[in-house]
Amino acid sequence: MFTIEHDFDATVVTLIDEGDSPLQEDITIHAFQECVTLEQYDPRDDEVKKITLSLHQLQELAAALDGITKRIATMEAQIQSNSDVTMAALGDGPGGFAAQLAKTMDPRVDSIRDEVMGGMSDLHLALSQKLSTLANQLTTAAAEAGRQRAQTFADAA
C-alpha cells in the first residue's frame, strides 16, 4: 500500500509493507524540485537511513525499472511456453502431472508477479507525477523569467 501527500515544497510518497512477515519498515520518498530522497527507519541501528537521488539518477532508475518490467514479461512468456510444452509432453486433465504442477506453481508465480508489478506500478506512478510537476514548475519559472526580462527591457527603453 502507499500514500501520496503534496506538501508545499515536495510530494511525499509513503510505501507501507503489507506483505508476508517479516515486514520491513515504511519507506518515505520526498520528491523535491531538485532531488528525491528515500528514507527508512533501521531498527538495528535505531536511526533513519537516507538516500538522495538527483533528477538524472531518478530518470535512470525509472529506465531501469522499465527494463525490469520488460524482462519480467519476457520471463512470463518463457514460463508460459515451457508450461505449454510440459502439458503437451506429460498429458493434460485434472489428474495429469501437468495439472498437478500447475496447481502447485501457478499461484506462487502469480502472487510474486502481482507483488512485483504492483510495487513497480506504484513507483512508476509516483515518479511520473513528480516529473510532470517538475516540468510544470520549470515551464512556469521560464515564463516568469521571460516576463521579467521583457519588463527590464521595457523599463530601460
Side-chain angles (χ1 to χ4, degrees):
M1 184 173 106
F2 68 97
T3 63
I4 299 176
E5 300 173 31
H6 300 286
D7 292 343
F8 175 73
D9 63 341
T11 297
V12 181
V13 178
T14 303
L15 303 176
I16 302 165
D17 190 1
E18 294 184 315
D20 294 331
S21 293
L23 298 177
Q24 297 296 317
E25 296 291 331
D26 294 353
I27 296 174
T28 305
I29 302 168
H30 296 268
F32 297 99
Q33 185 172 354
E34 66 282 351
C35 67
V36 174
T37 63
L38 295 100
E39 297 177 348
Q40 185 178 39
Y41 174 72
D42 185 348
R44 295 171 296 184
D45 297 338
D46 193 30
E47 66 181 12
V48 174
K49 304 292 183 174
K50 183 176 187 177
I51 297 172
T52 302
L53 301 171
S54 69
L55 296 180
H56 178 72
Q57 289 173 315
L58 183 63
Q59 290 171 339
E60 293 292 319
L61 177 60
L65 291 173
D66 284 343
I68 291 171
T69 301
K70 290 174 185 170
R71 180 63 182 138
I72 288 172
T74 300
M75 290 171 62
E76 286 178 341
Q78 290 172 341
I79 289 170
Q80 183 61 45
S81 175
N82 290 342
S83 177
D84 293 344
V85 169
T86 301
M87 288 206 185
L90 299 175
D92 201 2
F97 176 77
Q100 296 302 319
L101 181 62
K103 286 180 188 175
T104 303
M105 296 304 293
D106 284 349
R108 284 186 254 160
V109 170
D110 289 344
S111 173
I112 292 168
R113 183 198 63 231
D114 290 347
E115 288 177 22
V116 169
M117 295 303 287
M120 290 174 51
S121 177
D122 294 346
L123 184 56
H124 188 266
L125 174 64
L127 293 174
S128 295
Q129 289 174 340
K130 185 58 185 174
L131 289 174
S132 177
T133 300
L134 290 174
N136 290 337
Q137 290 171 347
L138 289 173
T139 302
T140 302
E144 180 61 29
R147 282 192 293 276
Q148 288 176 355
R149 280 194 297 273
Q151 184 63 41
T152 301
F153 182 74
D155 291 345

